[in-house]
Amino acid sequence: MIKDGSGNVVNTIIADESFVKQHYSNYEMFVPVFREVNPEIRGRSWRNHQLAKSDRNIRSFTDHPENDKWIAWRKTLRDWPSTTNFPNTLPTKPYAD
């Protein structure tokens, strides 16, 4: 946080502390407190990312020998939130990247 002579915050920047010390005379180190993300939100985010990655493969390589495995993988990902393993155990890919 960059402060004016009266101590009022006039700017907030993200930078290396040595840079801030070199360029600003009135600053106060601020380290944000990160909140723990809900495991279900984190799990769904991971799943959505995996679906997006496999979506590209499904569209591009419909004649690929592992196309059926990609389709099964997508079904596993879509069904995962309704299983007892969600969100603690990630599904395993049926193919290698």
Side-chain angles (χ1 to χ4, degrees):
M1 292 186 290
I2 308 302
K3 297 183 175 187
D4 64 15
S6 301
N8 300 311
V9 175
V10 294
N11 198 358
T12 302
I13 63 171
I14 298 173
D16 183 63
E17 187 176 10
S18 61
F19 172 84
V20 176
K21 282 182 179 180
Q22 182 180 355
H23 293 91
Y24 298 95
S25 59
N26 297 318
Y27 83 97
E28 180 179 316
M29 181 80 168
F30 174 75
V31 179
V33 177
F34 293 99
R35 295 183 209 164
E36 181 64 31
V37 176
N38 180 319
E40 288 186 9
I41 292 171
R42 187 175 51 245
R44 286 180 190 279
S45 177
W46 176 86
R47 180 204 59 173
N48 293 344
H49 177 71
Q50 296 301 312
L51 282 168
K53 281 176 34 179
S54 66
D55 193 32
R56 291 188 299 269
N57 295 337
I58 291 291
R59 285 192 210 139
S60 302
F61 307 111
T62 55
D63 61 343
H64 191 279
E66 293 191 332
N67 192 54
D68 291 341
K69 290 181 182 178
W70 284 335
I71 292 170
W73 172 236
R74 290 175 59 78
K75 180 169 178 12
T76 299
L77 290 170
R78 286 192 307 272
D79 294 346
W80 180 49
S82 63
T83 68
T84 57
N85 295 330
F86 182 79
N88 301 320
T89 305
L90 298 176
T92 306
K93 286 183 184 178
Y95 61 90
D97 281 333

